[in-house]
Amino acid sequence: MTDTVTDRFLRYVVIDTQSDPASSTQPSTEKQKNLGRMLVDELLAIGLADAHLDEHGYVYATIPSNVDKPVPVICFCSHMDTAPDFTGTNVSPQIVRKYRGGDIRLSGDPQQVIRVSDNPALNDQIGSDIITTDGTTLLGADDKAGIAEIMTAAQILVDNPDIKHGTIKILFTPDEEIGRGVDKVNLEKLSARFAYTMDGETAGHVEDETFSADGVEIAIQGVAIHPGFAKGKMENAIKIAGAIISRLPKDLAPETTAGREGFVHPTGVTGSMEKAALNLIVRDFNDDGLAAKEAMLETIVKEIMADYPGSSYSFKVKQQYRNMKVILDRHPEIVENAVEAVRRAGMEPVRGSIRGGTDGSRLSFMGLPCPNIFAGGHAFHSPLEWVSRQDMEKAVATLVELAKIWEERA
């Protein structure tokens, strides 16, 4: 076992941990436990005697306090699964050492090119070591970079008793990418007061705000009849679904929005002449905006359905997560300590919002306030994903400083 954050990362990414939204089990794929077992073995080797993997695929461990005074118990958290969007099987990590600038063509598929025009953050990486895939898989920096950083920080804290810190809990979760990352987490066993997910992007960023998120399921019952005798009678459910999709506002789509703009996004459509189903996600930074988008969507459906009097529909909204800023604003010291840790690690802190969600979104509303800290990865969920060694090392330094700050300010 080697101890650098890069060596850990390279070990972890070759283990396929893709989660499966079609599965009803927890974890959704047993292969996620393969990484979990490796992490437990490494945590035990570091000296964290309580490290274990539970039946639901969660890894728990404790770095004991090395001071006499009471310090709030904090938790460092990352997820083990990779996204279903692109294959994570047979990951072959490549290292571009001392990156000199310019586009990076990936060796396994020359059609895959990490372009500076699409990744302006590369302009800040001249001289860094850039880790990519060969272009045939995703990399898994989301969120195995975070895992490697937490593991490396844990070893530093254990090996250097002169670094004073309170009790620190470690939590690695399955199924974050399919929205189930904390479904079975045992917060009583974790017994932390505050937490941090290491699941962000650019070095120096601390995020205390996420989208609020809902899913919408629309089921359409059409009128099926033999097409040879269909005039004036058939109401094709596939065409109804297509009409709904065509009416979605083009300026409320992921590809046309940025910053604090929300969106409505179709994620799946299935159907036959008789029945069709539409799945969409709705995102906004506040609940009023979320409700307005859902009302707009149902209005579109009603207007389309008015042209098909023999057909019917159902419209179901499922809450996914809410903007964690509501909770974090009640505990400003959590983010302030993270910002100071970033500064002490030699970066200019940047506070921001996530156009997405993390385990921290739901943990915050479950009673464990949890902002997000950068892990250094870019171009998530794609074969163009990349991370730099230097940014992962900065994340490790941030975690060590954060542990020290909580002890100092207790």
Side-chain angles (χ1 to χ4, degrees):
M1 186 176 75
T2 52
D3 299 331
T4 72
V5 66
T6 301
D7 286 336
R8 291 182 188 278
F9 178 70
L10 295 175
R11 276 205 303 277
Y12 303 156
V13 295
V14 298
I15 301 174
D16 184 2
T17 58
Q18 195 171 46
S19 48
D20 179 7
S23 168
S24 60
T25 62
Q26 178 83 17
S28 64
T29 53
E30 278 295 307
K31 59 189 177 183
Q32 293 178 68
K33 289 185 178 180
N34 294 334
L35 177 57
R37 282 185 281 268
M38 173 186 281
L39 295 171
V40 168
D41 288 344
E42 292 188 12
L43 288 163
L44 291 170
I46 287 171
L48 306 189
D50 69 337
H52 66 281
L53 175 73
D54 76 1
E55 68 272 24
H56 302 300
Y58 293 85
V59 173
Y60 299 85
T62 306
I63 306 172
S65 172
N66 63 3
V67 294
D68 293 332
K69 66 179 180 179
V71 179
V73 177
I74 60 173
C75 171
F76 296 148
C77 173
S78 289
H79 63 89
M80 295 181 288
D81 65 317
T82 59
D85 306 53
F86 204 84
T87 181
T89 304
N90 297 322
V91 173
S92 178
Q94 312 288 308
I95 303 179
V96 179
R97 299 191 186 277
K98 296 183 179 179
Y99 171 65
R100 296 183 180 182
D103 297 344
I104 302 173
R105 191 173 298 276
L106 302 180
S107 59
D109 181 357
Q111 299 301 311
Q112 300 288 359
V113 181
I114 303 174
R115 301 187 187 281
V116 176
S117 58
D118 297 327
N119 294 265
L122 281 171
N123 291 316
D124 300 321
Q125 298 291 342
I126 305 301
S128 296
D129 296 332
I130 307 294
I131 304 171
T132 72
T133 69
D134 64 358
T136 63
T137 68
L138 51 68
L139 177 60
D142 179 16
D143 190 24
K144 290 169 184 172
I147 292 174
E149 290 152 9
I150 292 171
M151 294 290 290
T152 307
Q155 180 143 38
I156 290 170
L157 293 173
V158 170
D159 288 349
N160 295 275
D162 55 311
I163 300 175
K164 302 304 180 186
H165 59 82
T167 299
I168 297 170
K169 298 288 185 171
I170 291 173
L171 174 67
F172 298 134
T173 65
D175 292 339
E176 189 267 359
E177 295 290 5
I178 58 172
R180 304 183 209 159
V182 297
D183 279 6
K184 301 286 187 180
V185 69
N186 188 331
L187 291 183
E188 184 176 348
K189 175 165 65 175
L190 195 65
S191 62
R193 187 171 171 189
F194 305 119
Y196 297 90
T197 48
M198 295 298 294
D199 195 15
E201 190 180 33
T202 305
H205 283 236
V206 176
E207 295 147 334
D208 61 355
E209 185 173 29
T210 61
F211 272 142
S212 286
D214 285 341
V216 176
E217 298 175 358
I218 302 170
I220 300 162
Q221 178 68 53
V223 178
I225 193 168
H226 189 290
F229 307 94
K231 186 174 181 179
K233 299 173 184 177
M234 179 187 289
E235 295 182 2
N236 191 323
I238 297 173
K239 289 185 176 180
I240 297 172
I244 293 169
I245 293 170
S246 71
R247 283 279 306 276
L248 296 176
K250 291 182 172 56
D251 61 350
L252 283 181
E255 61 268 31
T256 59
T257 53
R260 296 187 59 79
E261 300 168 320
F263 56 75
V264 177
H265 176 48
T267 58
V269 58
T270 59
S272 62
M273 181 170 55
E274 181 184 13
K275 294 180 180 178
L278 272 171
N279 294 290
L280 305 98
I281 59 173
V282 185
R283 301 290 188 262
D284 201 281
F285 281 103
N286 65 73
D287 292 356
D288 289 343
L290 205 63
K293 289 175 175 60
E294 288 158 5
M296 175 271 297
L297 180 57
E298 187 160 22
T299 296
I300 289 173
V301 175
K302 288 178 178 177
E303 290 174 352
I304 296 294
M305 295 304 297
D307 294 331
Y308 299 91
S311 300
S312 60
Y313 77 95
S314 65
F315 187 96
K316 296 180 180 178
V317 177
K318 181 180 180 182
Q319 180 173 316
Q320 294 178 327
Y321 56 85
R322 288 295 178 262
N323 188 343
M324 63 189 181
K325 188 172 178 61
V326 174
I327 304 298
L328 293 175
D329 280 351
R330 301 173 192 168
H331 307 277
E333 70 276 17
I334 309 175
V335 176
E336 288 168 3
N337 286 356
V339 167
E340 177 61 19
V342 168
R343 185 175 289 113
R344 290 191 190 183
M347 292 162 282
E348 184 61 35
V350 179
R351 291 182 64 162
S353 304
I354 308 170
R355 287 180 59 80
T358 69
D359 278 339
S361 305
R362 288 182 59 202
L363 285 172
S364 293
F365 284 90
M366 291 167 66
L368 185 60
C370 184
N372 191 46
I373 297 175
F374 74 93
H378 297 266
F380 298 145
H381 301 189
S382 82
L384 305 178
E385 192 179 4
W386 61 274
V387 66
S388 86
R389 172 180 67 83
Q390 286 79 2
D391 284 355
M392 289 195 293
E393 290 171 353
K394 291 173 184 175
V396 173
T398 299
L399 287 171
V400 173
E401 293 298 331
L402 188 54
K404 292 161 63 176
I405 289 167
W406 276 100
E407 187 278 333
E408 290 171 15
R409 296 180 173 179

